[in-house]
Amino acid sequence: MSVATADPNTRTFDPTVYHVKKSAEGVALDIKDFNLWYGHAQALHGINMEIQKGEVTALIGPSGCGKSTLLRCLNRMNDLIDELSIDGSIMVDDFDIYGPGVDVIALRKRMGMVFQKPNPFAMSIYDNVVYPLRVDGITRKSILDETCERALRSAALWDEVKDRLKESALGMSGGQQQRLCIARGIASDPEVLLMDEPCSALDPIATAKIEDLIADLKGHYTIVIVTHNMQQAARVSDNTGFMYLGRLIEYGHTDTIFTNPKKKQTLDYVTGRFG
Amino acid sequence: MDENANLSQAERALERQREVPASGGAGAAGVSARETPPKTGRRVRTYTADISAVGEPALWAFGGALALGIILIAGFLAMIAWNGFTTFWPKPIAQVELRDGTTIAGEPTRGGTYRPGESVLAQLNDQQRAEIEAELGFAERTLYKTANFDIYGDDFRWVSDFEVAEITYPADMHLFQRQQWGDFVGRVAGLVIAGEEVPFDYDLMQREQSEARRRFNEIRNIERNEIGALNHYIERERLNIRRAELRHGAESERGAELIAQSRERIAEYQAQFADLQARVNEIRANDRNYRVTLEEVNGETRETELSQIVRFYPANDLTTLDKTGIYFSRWWEFVSTEPREANTQGGVLPAIFGTVAMTLLMVIFVAPFGVITALYLREYAKQGRITSIVRISVNNLAGVPSIVYGVFGLGFFAYAMGGTIDQLFYPEALPNPTFGKGGILWASLTLALLTVPVVIVASEEALAAVPRSMREGSLACGASKWQTIRYVVLPKAMPGIMTGMILAMARGAGEVAPLMLVGVVKLAPALPIDGFYPFIHLDRSFMHLGFHIFDVGFQSRNSEAGKPMVFVTTLLLLALIVTMNATAITVRNRLKRKYAGSQF
Ligand SMILES: Nc1ncnc2c1ncn2[C@@H]1O[C@H](COP(=O)(O)OP(=O)(O)OP(=O)(O)O)[C@@H](O)[C@H]1O
Ligand SMILES: [Mg+2]
């Protein structure tokens, strides 16, 4: 793995358009020249991206363009996949998360993640929510109870499940399960929240609640959200990155991306004229 | 090809037309259009197509195969249940006068047809011979359980119908089940109560017999438990002496002291032993004042203590209520007492106990071993050629004949491991082996080895079925791999693992062949769990229902007498296995329900 040194402006191929000002301050995750291969198929091509602290960053793009792959790289979820190779670096606080000697578990504890498909565990609702605390070794019941309620309230689920916290989480509806996973993702108060299409299984009301939640969390947490919903991206995010075929085509302030993109592909995509 | 298809279609259409000339609009389009005006739309389903294309014959074959399987299993179960459940029902005693003037008495057990030989025919009169010839040379016969083995030298006798002069069912015929020598069929010729002859009275005898049985059990209790305990202690002191000799030497001061102590204690125990013996003798002397004289149908008699009679009843003079009582009391005796008479009589309690204990022990061994192996193979090992070889080998292990495991268990567990344990920890008992012979520990380990492939395969499948997304969810929360397995993967896979365990248990509980090599015996002197320290004696040999069936039915002095017991024991073994499995399945279903639910 080589630490990226190339200045994006000097590279000849794939000139990504950046609107976000590069700054040493306030960068939560600094992705530098990141490439990724599944076996021999390259899924990410030279991604350069700075994710700002305390802001909401949306990733948009057509299906299969590598949004989930990129997101999963941020907390090294892709480690589980055999035959995966990467190149480049992702910096968090001056250390490369793909560098040698990185404590992956400690890294993941700093990041909550909500997956594309709900994946509650085969345990009670309560145990699901406090799972991140339990694996951290927290056993004080008062702390767990309090966390459980706070996380479930944030995920707009508390009122629905407060009477059945001891029941199995697998008996909930798909949308409830997804909100449960969101609650789990924020239960341990992570610095970064990675959300992969968190609202794809939710009805408009729940979606609105999740968007409210994101708005509330903004400022405290750094949020990266993958979404197919343009309006949602426009509503909740500060910055937006548009990806296409494994490349980051354009990355900038959400207003700019949606109203005044520099690239035709981006314009076509955000206006729905994508062909 | 195409043309042919078209042709046959057309032909079929014609045929249909011919078959249903009156069906009007239902006819097909095409060739027949001339006669019936075409309707809008085409008929999609045709029933005249080649029926193999519809799949109906295959359906019949599958259904038939299933039905056949069910019938076979149901028939098999029905046979065992019928034979098993009827065994203990009291049967009447027939008194048969034979044409040659002799008389026999016994329970008719079963009948049959046979072809009498020339020499038999030669002794018959003309009328009998004519009767047999009318049946094309066949004659009917009945097997009577005459009992009285001590008088006749046999328990059963075939009687051909042509030999019989008259059959009666006298009300004073009794069946006596004796502690020794098996059953007795006959009458009471004399009764001695408290040393005085009294006339026979059924109720009186019943009362006195229960009293006598109480004395009998008291004697046995003393001999078994109290004297048994003393023997146990004396043996322990003997071993202590031997150990002191081995460790300190008999001459050394410490050794001499220990030996002296042990000797003293042995003397103490022997004094107690004498006391107990005296008490037993006293009861026994009293017991000898209660006697009964039994008389078989031809007048020969046997005198015995009343306490030797386990049960007696007037077989031909019973109400249905009496019979029901006897029936259940015999069942109770069967499941709650020890065997008598080379296992053909009495109960099977030690065998039930041995079977359950061995199976549970096996599960205790096989569960962690199988699950840990599966966890390693599935979760930790790098999936490659070596893991597939291991996996294939494990699968093949399931096909190794079980007796091979028995040989391995005897050679490796009992002789190699057990022998070493004996040398290290029980040198004082040598040359008598403690662990260096078959025992319940080695038997359950052997069975654990035999069933571990089942558990591994089922556990691996259950682990593989845990969705990757769940593991990812856990890892994303910052859980380590072990935490993920422990809290997320294992609970989710538990029902599947339990299924494997149930299969293993069912297989293990029914296995007999390897056990014969590693610890099952015909008659175990003591249970593997008792009141003496250390309470659980894993080195002891034990009895097993499966082996009991084999032994009673095919190895006993009189296999005809054992036959009914074979069915009863089989029934019991089946019931036991079903109970154990049902318990496990209930536990599994409870687990499953706990985590039940749909994904969406
Ligand atoms: N485990 C994997 N092994 C091999 N190829 C993969 C794997 N996961 C994803 N890919 C490939 O990588 C590419 C990017 O996939 P990714 O899941 O990141 O897309 P996405 O942008 O999240 O799409 P969607 O919006 O449909 O979720 C796709 O071409 C996909 O086929
Ligand atoms: Mg995706």
Side-chain angles (χ1 to χ4, degrees), chain B residues 479-544:
Chain B
S480 67
K481 183 156 189 169
W482 170 242
Q483 284 173 324
T484 302
I485 290 173
R486 169 76 188 71
Y487 298 118
V488 174
V489 177
L490 270 185
K492 175 79 178 160
M494 214 25 135
I497 294 175
M498 288 281 295
T499 304
M501 224 90 87
I502 291 165
L503 289 175
M505 206 164 89
R507 167 119 202 252
E511 196 64 68
V512 177
L515 297 180
M516 285 156 58
L517 299 183
V518 290
V520 155
V521 289
K522 184 182 165 74
L523 194 64
L527 295 179
I529 296 178
D530 63 17
F532 297 117
Y533 180 82
F535 308 117
I536 299 173
H537 308 274
L538 295 180
D539 58 311
R540 285 195 182 158
S541 46
F542 61 105
M543 291 175 71
H544 186 275

Side-chain angles (χ1 to χ4, degrees), chain B residues 87-353:
Chain B
T87 297
F88 289 144
W89 190 254
K91 292 170 194 66
I93 295 174
Q95 182 169 332
V96 187
E97 317 270 342
L98 299 184
R99 291 215 171 125
D100 61 9
T102 57
T103 312
I104 64 157
E107 296 175 351
T109 53
R110 60 192 168 97
T113 336
Y114 79 117
R115 193 190 277 273
E118 286 298 329
S119 54
V120 180
L121 289 175
Q123 292 165 8
L124 302 178
N125 63 32
D126 291 342
Q127 189 208 338
Q128 288 170 332
R129 224 170 299 148
E131 272 173 23
I132 293 173
E133 262 154 36
E135 296 291 334
L136 302 170
F138 286 99
E140 297 277 330
R141 60 178 179 175
T142 310
L143 183 65
Y144 285 95
K145 184 185 174 192
T146 55
N148 310 359
F149 187 82
D150 45 341
I151 301 175
Y152 305 149
D154 202 349
D155 273 323
F156 289 85
R157 173 155 175 198
W158 281 107
V159 175
S160 304
D161 281 4
F162 55 75
E163 291 178 274
V164 176
E166 197 192 357
I167 299 181
T168 51
Y169 293 91
D172 60 346
M173 268 293 170
H174 283 69
L175 184 90
F176 304 89
Q177 289 183 288
R178 294 179 294 181
Q179 189 69 30
Q180 278 165 352
W181 293 108
D183 293 351
F184 190 97
V185 168
R187 302 177 168 86
V188 180
L191 194 56
V192 176
I193 300 295
E196 285 173 33
E197 292 229 12
V198 294
F200 169 63
D201 173 68
Y202 181 78
D203 292 328
L204 172 75
M205 179 159 157
Q206 189 89 51
R207 258 198 321 277
E208 290 299 334
Q209 185 255 356
S210 330
E211 191 62 20
R213 284 308 280 178
R214 209 189 44 68
R215 279 196 300 272
F216 176 84
N217 286 329
E218 197 181 339
I219 294 176
R220 219 170 58 140
N221 190 28
I222 295 175
E223 286 184 336
R224 256 298 173 70
N225 300 341
E226 302 189 26
I227 296 186
L230 281 181
N231 280 335
H232 182 86
Y233 296 142
I234 290 175
E235 173 67 10
R236 203 174 59 191
E237 293 306 332
R238 198 186 64 74
L239 290 178
N240 280 345
I241 292 176
R242 181 94 186 92
R243 190 182 299 129
E245 281 171 8
L246 286 177
R247 283 220 190 122
H248 308 285
E251 270 74 56
S252 77
E253 202 176 308
R254 177 95 183 108
E257 186 191 321
L258 286 173
I259 291 173
Q261 277 175 7
S262 288
R263 290 244 162 84
E264 206 170 295
R265 254 174 263 145
I266 289 183
E268 220 170 274
Y269 292 139
Q270 267 159 353
Q272 291 177 23
F273 185 88
D275 283 355
L276 287 174
Q277 198 61 54
R279 235 171 79 202
V280 167
N281 288 341
E282 192 184 319
I283 301 174
R284 219 173 245 146
N286 180 24
D287 196 49
R288 249 176 253 123
N289 290 331
Y290 297 82
R291 290 191 308 278
V292 61
T293 308
L294 307 177
E295 178 194 84
E296 58 94 65
V297 67
N298 291 320
E300 204 163 325
T301 59
R302 283 285 180 276
E303 190 176 37
T304 173
E305 277 100 47
L306 207 45
S307 61
Q308 290 292 308
I309 309 253
V310 178
R311 180 185 292 107
F312 71 101
Y313 53 83
N316 299 331
D317 195 16
L318 292 173
T319 63
T320 311
L321 194 69
D322 294 337
K323 286 186 183 174
T324 315
I326 293 169
Y327 179 74
F328 284 110
S329 106
R330 289 180 76 175
W331 262 110
W332 176 244
E333 183 195 353
F334 183 67
V335 296
S336 68
T337 65
E338 289 163 19
R340 302 180 266 121
E341 294 291 295
N343 293 355
T344 56
Q345 300 267 311
V348 290
L349 183 66
I352 298 177
F353 192 87

Side-chain angles (χ1 to χ4, degrees), chain B residues 352-369:
Chain B
I352 298 177
F353 192 87
T355 310
V356 173
M358 196 237 11
T359 310
L360 292 183
L361 215 55
M362 176 197 80
V363 171
I364 289 174
F365 289 129
V366 81
F369 188 55

Side-chain angles (χ1 to χ4, degrees), chain A residues 111-129:
Chain A
M111 303 190 179
M113 187 164 198
V114 180
F115 291 80
Q116 194 162 356
K117 276 188 238 143
N119 55 352
F121 307 137
M123 39 175 105
S124 72
I125 295 172
Y126 180 89
D127 290 336
N128 258 282
V129 177

